[in-house]
Each structure stands twice: as C-alpha cells, then as structure tokens.
Amino acid sequence: MTDLAPAANVPAYGALFYVAAVNIIIWAGIFLYLVYLDRKVRDASRHLSSEGKP
Amino acid sequence: MGNVRLLLQWFLGLAMVVIILGAFLWARPAASFVGQSSRIVFFHVPQAWVAFLAFLVAAIHSGLYLKHRRIENDEAAAGAARLGIVFCVLATVTGSIFAKVMWNSYWNWDPRETSIVLLLLVYGAYLGLRGAIEEPERKATLSAAYALAAFVTVPFLMFAVPRLYSSLHPDTVINARGKVEMSTDIRVVFFSSTAAFTALFFWLFSLDRKVSRIVREASLRHEQELAA
Amino acid sequence: MSAVSPVSRPGLFTSSLAVLQKDLRSEWRTRIAVSALLLFAFAVLILVGYAVGPANISKEDRPVVHSVLLWIVIFFSAMTGLSRVFVHEEESGTAAALRLSAPSAAVYLGKLLANLALLTLVLVFVVPLFLALMSFSVACWPLFLLILLLGSVGLAAASTFTAAIVSKAAAKGAMFPVLAIPLLLPPLVAAVAGTRIAATESEISAGLDILQLLLAYDGVVTTATFLLFDAVFRE
C-alpha cells in the first residue's frame, strides 16, 4: 500500500514539528515512569526509617 | 559484572543519541508520506512493538507464577503490565499524531489503532483487578489467570476487525508480500531504534523488578519489627 | 493442575449436570437473575426502539445500525446477570461447600451451562422483540441463528470465567464489565459484522469466515478458561 522508497523532492521542513512532538512525548512518558519508580522506592524507605526511630 | 552493566548502559545512551540524530539527519524521508512525517516511524513503531512485547512478557510471567507459585513472577508480570501501559499510551498518542499528519484526522478506527486500544483496555483491566484484591497470593493467582485468558483472546481482534474496516495504516515493516521494503538508510535506523527501545524496556523492567523486591522486603521487615 | 480424579468421584459430566441442576433449582426459587436480566433487556429494548426506531434510519443504514444495537442489548443484558453464578455463591458463603462437593472442572462446566441457559432465555425473549420493534429483516436465517448461537457461547464462556475471578475481588459489580469487555470485544466485533452480513446477503457462504472466527474463539476461550479455572476456583 505504501511505497517506502526515498523521495527526491519534499519540502525541507514539512511536518518536522510533528516528528519533534512525537519525540518529546515519548521521552516525557518514560521520564514520568521513572518518577513513579523513584517515588515507590522513596515511600518504601521512608516507611522503614520513620517507623524504626521511635 | 557491574562494569559490564555500566558499559551497556552507556552504550545504550550513546546509541539512542546516534539513532535520534540518524533519524533526523541521515535517513531520507520516504515517498508517499506527507513531508518529513515518515520519520515518525522510527519512534512510533518501536513503542507499539514494546507495548506488545510487554504483554508477552506479562503473560509468560503469569504462566510461570501459576506453575511455580513464586511471588517474584507475579511482581514481574505486574511490572511488565505497568510498563506496557506506558508504552501503549505512547504508541497510541504518537500514532494519533501521525494519523493527523497523514490523513488529517486524529483517529480513523484503523485495525491497528483498535488493537492498541484493546491492549490498553486489557492492561487497564489487569491493573484494576490487582487494585481490587488485598491478599497478595490471591491477587497473584487471579491476575495471572486473567492475564493468560486475555492473552489467548486478544489476538482474535486482529482477525475480526479487518472485516469491518479496511486499513489505512502503512505496511511499515512487512507488507503483504512478506518482504521488508525499505531503503538501506531507513532500514538501519528503524531496526536500531527498535532494538534500542527494546533494550530500554528490559532495563526499565529490571529496575521495576528490583524496586518491587525492595518494597516487598521493606514491608516484610516492617512487619517483623512490629511483631518484635 | 486438574482436580478431577476419574476413579473415586462420579463422572465429570454427571457432576457438571448436578451443579447445573442445583443452580437452576436455586434460581427457580427466587428468579432474581432471570427477572433482572429480562427486565433490563426489555428496558434497553424500549429505549433503543424509542430513540432509534425503524423509521429514523435510512434503509441502507439499517443493517449496520441494527446489528450493532442488537449486540449492545445482548451484551449489556449479559453483563447484568451472568456474574451472579459465582458472586452469589461467595456472598452467601456456599462457595466453600461447592469446592468440597464437586471437582472444579465440573463446577466450571455446570456454571457455564447455567449461564448459557440464562443467555438463551434472554435471546429467546430479546431477538423476536427486537426484530419486531425495529423492523429488522433477516436475509439469511441459518447464518443469523448460527451467529447468535456461536456469539452467545463465547459470551457465556468468557463471562463465566470473569465472574469466577470477580467473585473473589472487591467492588464486584463494577469489576465484572471492566474485566469482561477486553475478553469479549473480539467476538462482539465479529458477531456484529456477521449479523450485518446475515441482514444483507442471502447466501450463508458470505459469512463463512465470520463463523469460522467465532467457532475458533469459542473453542479457544472455552478450553483456556476451563484449564485456568481450577487455579481461580481453589484460590
């Protein structure tokens, strides 16, 4: 259905904005996941240290 | 061991940089795509691939849990599902952006769009079920059984939906003739990007498993301290 | 994995029938599930019939809209009633007794048959009414009936398994459709497509691939849930 052969002449910056947006969204999603993991570890360790003190 | 790990991590980081640069600067835009939009393929398709891979990993660990009853397998299945939902959302959103560029509409009910949404539903239902059960072993057994049941039923959608709608989706990797039809530059960037995102998935997955283990051991120690 | 021992207990089939009989008898005493299902189906039918009606849609759009609406009515009726087989056992505390008195394979088959009976009753009630209220004309009756039969078998198998899971979770009523929809989307999509074909084509061969798809789904989902049920039920 789609021909993936390289094209000779396309406008130099056509639709490049969307490609950049796709990249930003992907890395933001992965970053949010890392934040989630970080919070999980922090909650667990805080739980331990605060209960151990008194 | 630690050094090899560090080396691999640095290698992956550098490879990601090279791939992104290659995707923008080296690979040429493909014909029959609007402008530069074919470059989305290098980022969107790996997300979808990882979303399906995570489902496979979750199903394998669910099966292992039912066989050996080790809580590690349950944690791994849940971790794979959490990552799966992340990549599933990324694949859906980036695909939707691509659809906007290509067909001027964010959503077309294309078979592949529908199947990624079904996958999203499965992950949501699986994690929702886990949230609705308190006792760890019961949670593990029931969610493993559900994951396996979903694993055998979901592929049927791939056969059912094309009978309702014809696909607009480009045959990116393997077309009807079963051949990879890409020029060399596109192929190199595409497959390295898929490999790199797969590696990233397994890295995040191993981090998730370690975190789950630490949280479990921490709560176990907490209980022991309370009992003492 | 299987808890069935063929030597000491009565055969799988007889004990499944015993479970089915017990379910039907307890249902007959109260008729809660049946009346809830039928009332719900009737309410949805009236709503759909009133809002959409036969006259509001152009003739060429009817097969599409009607086949979707028919399966929506069937699906939501199934979602209101089919979880009861296990949820009721857990809530009334009889699940432990059931676990002791019958092997889990027999329990699963018995419950599946009970749900299938319930669903058949709903179909017998809903489908003629739907055809009459919506002036839905069927071009190929054998195909239409086969789609209904295979679709409801798949619906019953997946719902029975989901009901077994849900009965052990919190927020049972809300969880049941959430868990069932991802499993049921493929056969529902196929059944809608098949019903549309049955409304427009007079030859059964036009819907042959849909029938194959539904048959494969029914076989796979029944086998898989049958094998997985033991782990769920004994939990």
Side-chain angles (χ1 to χ4, degrees):
Chain A
M1 179 175 161
T2 312
D3 178 20
L4 272 166
N9 44 4
V10 275
Y13 296 109
L16 216 51
F17 166 74
Y18 289 99
V19 188
V22 159
N23 255 285
I24 291 166
I25 287 167
I26 288 171
W27 293 109
I30 292 170
F31 180 79
L32 283 178
Y33 177 76
L34 287 173
V35 170
Y36 155 81
L37 271 190
D38 185 73
R39 288 185 69 111
K40 203 169 159 185
V41 181
R42 224 178 33 193
D43 285 352
S45 61
R46 187 188 297 154
H47 209 62
L48 272 185
S49 57
S50 70
E51 292 292 328
K53 268 172 201 164
Chain B
M1 186 58 202
N3 280 336
V4 176
R5 222 185 146 77
L6 190 67
L7 206 67
L8 283 174
Q9 287 163 6
W10 271 98
F11 178 74
L12 178 64
L14 283 175
M16 265 313 177
V17 172
V18 173
I19 286 163
I20 293 171
L21 287 176
F24 276 98
L25 303 175
W26 183 49
R28 286 160 295 173
S32 77
F33 282 80
V34 177
Q36 305 273 333
S37 68
S38 73
R39 298 191 195 278
I40 287 175
V41 166
F42 303 129
F43 305 104
H44 160 65
V45 178
Q47 312 307 311
W49 151 251
V50 169
F52 281 102
L53 183 69
F55 190 33
L56 177 69
V57 171
I60 289 172
H61 279 287
S62 298
L64 286 175
Y65 177 79
L66 287 183
K67 196 151 176 260
H68 304 296
R69 304 276 167 173
R70 281 197 299 255
I71 203 75
E72 291 87 347
N73 285 128
D74 174 60
E75 283 170 1
R82 275 192 295 266
L83 271 167
I85 214 166
V86 170
F87 282 96
C88 219
V89 170
L90 293 180
T92 314
V93 174
T94 57
S96 183
I97 289 174
F98 181 65
K100 179 66 183 169
V101 187
M102 271 300 271
W103 309 299
N104 204 26
S105 139
Y106 284 109
W107 203 258
N108 303 292
W109 291 109
D110 178 89
R112 276 177 243 211
E113 287 176 336
T114 318
S115 57
I116 205 91
V117 166
L118 179 64
L119 205 57
L120 208 54
L121 282 176
V122 170
Y123 282 134
Y126 174 83
L127 294 174
L129 175 64
R130 297 185 67 89
I133 310 168
E134 205 60 52
E135 206 259 308
E137 273 166 33
R138 169 172 280 197
K139 178 197 284 188
T141 310
L142 297 184
S143 54
Y146 182 73
L148 286 174
F151 187 70
V152 296
T153 51
V154 163
F156 280 95
L157 193 79
M158 309 294 259
F159 300 103
V161 172
R163 289 180 171 77
L164 285 181
Y165 299 95
S166 62
S167 180
L168 293 166
H169 198 288
D171 305 322
T172 29
V173 184
I174 294 167
N175 62 10
R177 280 149 289 165
K179 243 170 60 187
V180 179
E181 285 192 0
M182 292 178 177
S183 63
T184 319
D185 51 346
I186 292 179
R187 193 178 344 183
V188 168
V189 176
F190 176 74
F191 284 110
S192 355
S193 172
T194 307
F197 274 105
T198 308
L200 185 65
F201 163 73
F202 280 110
W203 185 9
L204 291 173
F205 182 49
S206 80
L207 273 181
D208 191 293
R209 293 179 73 172
K210 277 177 199 148
V211 168
S212 298
R213 203 186 64 215
I214 289 166
V215 170
R216 171 162 44 89
E217 282 167 359
S219 68
L220 200 70
R221 207 182 314 157
H222 179 59
E223 274 167 26
Q224 284 168 349
E225 275 165 13
L226 283 183
Chain C
M1 191 152 176
S2 173
V4 192
S5 50
V7 208
S8 58
R9 297 284 180 100
L12 176 61
F13 195 64
T14 15
S15 32
S16 332
L17 284 183
V19 172
L20 171 67
Q21 209 173 24
K22 170 202 129 327
D23 261 35
L24 291 183
R25 204 179 298 136
S26 72
E27 176 55 38
W28 185 251
R29 271 202 294 272
T30 59
R31 300 183 199 88
I32 291 177
V34 174
S35 43
L37 259 163
L38 293 186
L39 276 173
F40 182 84
F42 190 63
V44 177
L45 259 179
I46 295 299
L47 184 67
V48 161
Y50 195 67
V52 181
N56 290 344
I57 322 164
S58 66
K59 215 170 173 64
E60 54 268 28
D61 287 341
R62 271 185 215 172
V64 182
V65 177
H66 286 171
S67 48
V68 171
L69 288 176
L70 174 61
W71 282 99
I72 286 178
V73 175
I74 295 172
F75 171 72
F76 280 106
S77 312
M79 287 298 103
T80 53
L82 295 193
S83 68
R84 199 180 141 78
V85 280
F86 285 111
V87 172
H88 182 65
E89 300 271 3
E90 292 287 338
E91 279 174 352
S92 61
T94 48
L98 189 63
R99 256 189 291 276
L100 288 176
S101 55
S104 45
V107 172
Y108 181 68
L109 285 183
K111 297 288 188 186
L112 175 57
L113 290 174
N115 265 347
L116 210 50
L118 209 56
L119 204 54
T120 312
L121 196 68
V122 172
L123 288 182
V124 167
F125 175 72
V126 163
V127 174
L129 262 178
F130 186 87
L131 295 180
L133 286 175
M134 308 292 286
S135 324
F136 183 33
S137 56
V138 176
C140 179
W141 276 98
L143 180 63
F144 183 67
L145 293 177
L146 274 174
I147 297 270
L148 282 177
L149 174 73
L150 293 176
S152 47
V153 169
L155 199 58
S159 318
T160 308
F161 178 70
T162 324
I165 291 180
V166 160
S167 69
K168 292 165 197 291
K172 302 172 176 45
M175 282 312 286
F176 183 55
V178 169
L179 292 184
I181 285 171
L183 302 185
L184 285 173
L185 208 56
L188 284 175
V189 166
V192 167
T195 310
R196 193 182 63 193
I197 293 171
T200 48
E201 311 277 336
S202 56
E203 287 294 312
I204 193 167
S205 57
L208 211 56
D209 53 345
I210 299 268
L211 288 178
Q212 281 170 351
L213 183 73
L214 282 174
L215 197 63
Y217 177 88
D218 290 357
V220 167
V221 84
T222 312
T223 317
T225 52
F226 180 78
L227 292 174
L228 289 168
F229 179 74
D230 185 56
V232 172
F233 190 57
R234 282 195 296 171
E235 180 48 58

